[in-house]
Amino acid sequence: MPDAMIENSTARAAAHDPYERRTPRPPWRKIAIRLLRLVVGALIGAGVGFGVHHVISPNYGTRYIAVPLPAIPSLPSLRAIPKEPIETKVGEQVVYSNPGSRGEVAFTVTKITLDGKCTEQFASGPENGHYIFVDLTVETSPDIGPGYGTGLFNPLNFSLMGPDGVTQTGNALMSNQTFGCLSRGRALPVVLGAGQKYQGTVVLDARTTSGALTLAPLGGGLRNADSWKWRLGETT
């Protein structure tokens, strides 16, 4: 048999010698592993994340240890921040453009009546203390599509910030009493047609007659969406 083959056979036999004396593992290793498991379990329970690293030891082969991972920063809020309302005067025309659609709606608040009086026979007094009538003229461009500006002048899109800084939202401004205050002929349509002109009145049930009245057609919840603000008590 060649000498090289004899040497290889001897090396393999030495590597797999069942009688080879192995170095016993020290007892402190088991104790350390148990302590490590307790610490890792406690930290995981506290919400700390861990990764795993392997370490090669000359005496005991490959060992694995848990290593705390760096904290993941929280993502910024995805909620869009609307623009500040545009200061607008009574009698000043403004233009609304629906994002992503063609066409425009030009409208003007021609008059704001504080403590307005209902005209319908069975109308009742305001629930919140004061009726505010917002008179508007509206004109649409001929290229708007069906449903463009639907609910644009819905009372839910209005809000009123009083002199004390408290804001009354559209849910409160649109009480049940506002529906029967004026005749239906004075209400603006829910759906606006192309190339049309309208004139109507929005009735609000407010707790105050001073402050700033805001119209946010998209509810004020979209970035770069325009909204407008009128100071109550101002005239044209």
Side-chain angles (χ1 to χ4, degrees), residues 42-178:
L43 291 175
I44 291 176
V48 179
F50 282 86
V52 176
H53 277 303
H54 69 275
V55 178
I56 300 176
S57 171
N59 296 325
Y60 306 110
T62 301
R63 292 183 298 160
Y64 295 89
I65 60 174
V67 179
L69 296 175
I72 300 175
S74 58
L75 294 175
S77 174
L78 298 180
R79 185 178 63 85
I81 302 174
K83 296 192 299 186
E84 286 295 320
I86 301 171
E87 288 277 356
T88 311
K89 300 288 186 180
V90 174
E92 179 182 352
Q93 186 184 69
V94 296
V95 177
Y96 166 75
S97 298
N98 195 349
S101 302
R102 295 182 304 171
E104 296 177 339
V105 176
F107 66 92
T108 304
V109 173
T110 57
K111 184 179 180 182
I112 298 179
T113 303
L114 306 178
D115 286 317
K117 304 299 181 183
C118 296
T119 59
E120 292 301 278
Q121 180 179 359
F122 299 103
S124 58
E127 178 180 322
N128 298 316
H130 308 273
Y131 280 129
I132 296 179
F133 297 164
V134 183
D135 295 340
L136 299 107
T137 58
V138 182
E139 184 174 357
T140 62
S141 61
D143 56 345
I144 67 172
Y148 186 96
T150 299
L152 177 60
F153 304 105
N154 190 313
L156 290 174
N157 292 331
F158 286 86
S159 63
L160 174 60
M161 178 182 288
D164 55 0
V166 177
T167 298
Q168 188 178 2
T169 63
N171 287 319
L173 292 172
M174 188 178 66
S175 65
N176 291 331
Q177 286 85 334
T178 60

Side-chain angles (χ1 to χ4, degrees), residues 182-202:
L182 302 179
S183 64
R184 293 184 178 181
R186 294 185 61 179
L188 290 166
V190 175
V191 180
L192 303 176
Q196 300 294 316
K197 293 182 179 180
Y198 304 96
Q199 189 174 7
T201 303
V202 176

Side-chain angles (χ1 to χ4, degrees), residues 16-48:
H16 299 284
D17 185 2
Y19 300 101
E20 178 187 4
R21 185 177 179 179
R22 298 181 181 180
T23 304
R25 295 180 178 179
W28 58 262
R29 185 173 185 273
K30 293 184 179 180
I31 298 175
I33 292 175
R34 291 178 182 177
L35 289 175
L36 180 60
R37 289 175 178 173
L38 291 175
V39 172
V40 172
L43 291 175
I44 291 176
V48 179

